[in-house]
Amino acid sequence: MTTNESSYRDKKVMSIGIVKELTGLSERQIRYYEKRQLLFPDRTDTGIRKYSFSDVERLMDIADQIEEGVQTHEIRSELAKRDELQKTKDIRNKMLKGQLNAHFQKKY
Amino acid sequence: MTTNESSYRDKKVMSIGIVKELTGLSERQIRYYEKRQLLFPDRTDTGIRKYSFSDVERLMDIADQIEEGVQTHEIRSELAKRDELQKTKDIRNKMLKGQLNAHFQKKY
DNA sequence: CGTGTAAGGAATTCTGACACG
DNA sequence: CGTGTAAGGAATTCTGACACG
């Protein structure tokens, strides 16, 4: 019953053209931030980059910081920190759900 | 404060290749269902179709019905009915939000 | 350091048609 | 009716490089 609509946020489905429209950034910028390891799009078998809505949010965040004069490597460590924290939260959450499911015999 | 993450569901951002992967349908089928007016993707200025996650859900629904032997024109009227109902709900909702915002002087 | 651009190639998407039925 | 396919063209994306700084 817990359909996770929120998973749409993290699904990598957009090509760079749409991301460019959504963020207002140039393809050059989007690819450059990837090279600097600020985001990690998926790739299709043939090498086409695929982004999620959360990547788009992330890019807008990055763009703001760049404008403020923050350098990519600084943004990178901040984002890495945040990602780590989020990963921990996700695991904690996953375990909690497992517990609940085991208890109430639900499917997931 | 009410960030609508759920708006991601209706944002038309995917090209047909991804939709094909997500639904398991052929491009031919996806385009055909559009011709039969079962769904309404956007188009870029250059004519490329763009789909939303809700279009993907809709396609899977359509595919199920086709398998059951339901014909496209029947599916069409059912979907049209559902769309109408949803539209009414959306408007009602929008008005309610307007009321609330006016009352509490919130930004939206 | 961060970004623009021209270059050439590869992958994607589009439409209308022939086919089967 | 619903779907597959080959055909030709247009639009998209990719990489590595030159440029400025």
Side-chain angles (χ1 to χ4, degrees), chain A residues 5, chain B residues 3-10:
Chain A
E5 266 81 38
Chain B
T3 40
N4 36 338
E5 266 82 38
S6 62
S7 73
Y8 290 151
R9 205 172 153 273
D10 294 315

Side-chain angles (χ1 to χ4, degrees), chain A residues 5 8-9 11-15 18 22 50 53 57, chain B residues 5 8-9 11-15 18 22 50 53 57:
Chain A
E5 266 81 38
Y8 290 151
R9 205 171 154 275
K11 203 128 202 180
K12 312 251 181 184
V13 298
M14 302 177 243
S15 315
I18 271 278
L22 261 34
K50 291 297 176 188
F53 281 109
E57 291 180 2
Chain B
E5 266 82 38
Y8 290 151
R9 205 172 153 273
K11 203 127 203 181
K12 313 249 182 187
V13 297
M14 303 177 241
S15 315
I18 271 277
L22 262 32
K50 291 298 176 188
F53 281 109
E57 292 180 2

Side-chain angles (χ1 to χ4, degrees), chain A residues 29-45:
Chain A
Q29 290 173 306
I30 298 169
R31 294 203 190 97
Y32 180 67
Y33 300 152
E34 176 187 357
K35 174 163 288 176
R36 304 320 313 277
Q37 315 235 52
L38 306 186
L39 73 162
F40 310 91
D42 275 357
R43 294 272 188 153
T44 64
D45 296 339

Side-chain angles (χ1 to χ4, degrees), chain B residues 12-54:
Chain B
K12 313 249 182 187
V13 297
M14 303 177 241
S15 315
I16 200 163
I18 271 277
V19 176
K20 166 170 144 176
E21 280 209 348
L22 262 32
T23 61
L25 297 170
S26 67
E27 294 182 19
R28 182 70 157 106
Q29 290 173 305
I30 298 169
R31 294 203 191 96
Y32 180 67
Y33 300 152
E34 176 187 359
K35 175 162 288 175
R36 303 320 310 279
Q37 314 234 52
L38 305 186
L39 73 161
F40 310 91
D42 275 356
R43 295 271 188 153
T44 64
D45 296 340
T46 53
I48 308 291
R49 271 171 270 251
K50 291 298 176 188
Y51 303 86
S52 66
F53 281 109
S54 62

Side-chain angles (χ1 to χ4, degrees), chain A residues 25-92:
Chain A
L25 297 171
S26 68
E27 296 182 16
R28 181 67 157 109
Q29 290 173 306
I30 298 169
R31 294 203 190 97
Y32 180 67
Y33 300 152
E34 176 187 357
K35 174 163 288 176
R36 304 320 313 277
Q37 315 235 52
L38 306 186
L39 73 162
F40 310 91
D42 275 357
R43 294 272 188 153
T44 64
D45 296 339
T46 51
I48 307 292
R49 271 171 269 250
K50 291 297 176 188
Y51 303 85
S52 66
F53 281 109
S54 62
D55 286 330
V56 170
E57 291 180 2
R58 197 176 173 103
L59 278 167
M60 300 184 95
D61 184 10
I62 292 168
D64 286 344
Q65 297 193 59
I66 291 278
E67 263 191 291
E68 289 170 26
V70 187
Q71 293 203 317
T72 52
H73 72 270
E74 305 186 65
I75 300 177
R76 167 158 159 50
S77 45
E78 282 309 308
L79 285 175
K81 223 184 289 175
R82 198 195 294 174
D83 289 346
E84 263 322 302
L85 181 62
Q86 192 53 50
K87 212 180 295 176
T88 311
K89 282 186 185 169
D90 286 347
I91 291 172
R92 204 179 288 152

